[in-house]
Amino acid sequence: MKQFVKGLFTLIVLCSLSRAYAQETVSTPQFRRDFLKEINRVRETGCNCGVTYMPPVPPLVWNDQLEISSMGHAADMAYRNYFSHTSLDGRTMQDRIRAAGYTYKGFKSYAIGENIAEGPTSIAEVMQGWFHSPGHCKNLMSARFKEVGVAFNNSYWVQDFGGREAFSAYEQKMIQSGRYHLLEKE
């Protein structure tokens, strides 16, 4: 009987923990639409990021690889109870985004960025906070960023940005012919 009670207690604790860490808002079509609507409404008109005016820029589109990266980081921060752009194991935003498959190989240009927040309980609230923070706002308004993925886990939000520009057909032809050579920088 003593082992049964001990086993039952362990099961209850494990179920409680798994439920606590499973409060992740898995992206639904509505979640994506709501986020893109909030971001792109401001990108369309431009805004002030602190004292810097950011002009209108093209809309962002959703990227599943960036979402996977953001989901992993939000879950890690929630599970390990920390708040930082650098994971406790030393992984950076760049490490996480590349590990999710969002890489620069085959592209002429590549840019990434990240916003994080802890505490807001809604998309509107987290977006208001980011737009009122000059650095976060500049990420949201950067013309270099073309794609975004966002995740929420418990009270942690992660928004990963990316922008890649493909080579033109002419540039691809020149690369294939050996007339252009690619130099990669880490």
Side-chain angles (χ1 to χ4, degrees):
M1 180 67 168
K2 189 175 182 180
Q3 283 185 336
F4 174 74
V5 172
K6 200 175 189 181
L8 184 61
F9 177 73
T10 302
L11 183 63
I12 291 170
V13 169
L14 287 174
C15 287
S16 298
L17 286 174
S18 68
R19 201 174 319 134
Y21 294 116
Q23 291 180 5
E24 186 171 342
T25 299
V26 177
S27 175
T28 63
Q30 188 65 49
F31 181 82
R32 292 175 181 203
R33 275 193 302 275
D34 290 349
F35 243 106
L36 288 172
K37 180 181 173 186
E38 287 290 321
I39 296 168
N40 290 329
R41 178 180 52 80
V42 179
R43 284 177 66 95
E44 180 180 21
T45 59
C47 70
N48 288 317
C49 294
V51 296
T52 305
Y53 175 72
M54 302 295 287
V57 290
L60 293 174
V61 296
W62 198 267
N63 180 281
D64 292 337
Q65 293 163 324
L66 294 171
E67 179 187 13
I68 289 166
S69 173
S70 65
M71 287 174 76
H73 191 47
D76 188 53
M77 287 192 296
Y79 180 74
R80 295 178 175 198
N81 195 29
Y82 72 97
F83 183 69
S84 175
H85 287 284
T86 303
S87 300
L88 292 181
D89 62 7
R91 288 175 301 131
T92 64
M93 164 198 62
Q94 180 175 328
D95 297 330
R96 292 187 303 272
I97 289 174
R98 284 185 180 173
Y102 194 87
T103 64
Y104 57 86
K105 284 215 179 281
F107 291 92
K108 183 181 355 186
S109 66
Y110 175 83
I112 56 174
E114 182 174 77
N115 287 344
I116 61 175
E118 180 183 8
T121 58
S122 68
I123 292 171
E125 187 180 357
V126 75
M127 291 301 295
Q128 181 181 22
W130 281 332
F131 274 117
H132 283 94
S133 164
H136 294 103
C137 180
K138 287 177 182 177
N139 274 346
L140 285 158
M141 294 301 297
S142 174
R144 294 177 8 166
F145 298 140
K146 317 267 189 256
E147 302 168 297
V148 67
V150 184
F152 171 72
N153 190 308
N154 290 321
S155 62
Y156 295 91
W157 296 83
V158 178
Q159 184 176 53
D160 284 338
F161 300 94
R164 300 180 288 194
E165 183 182 349
F167 289 101
S168 69
Y170 174 76
E171 291 166 328
Q172 290 175 19
K173 183 178 175 183
M174 296 301 283
I175 291 167
Q176 290 170 351
S177 73
R179 292 189 192 139
Y180 279 7
H181 298 279
L182 300 179
L183 301 174
E184 292 185 27
K185 292 182 178 182
E186 275 296 317

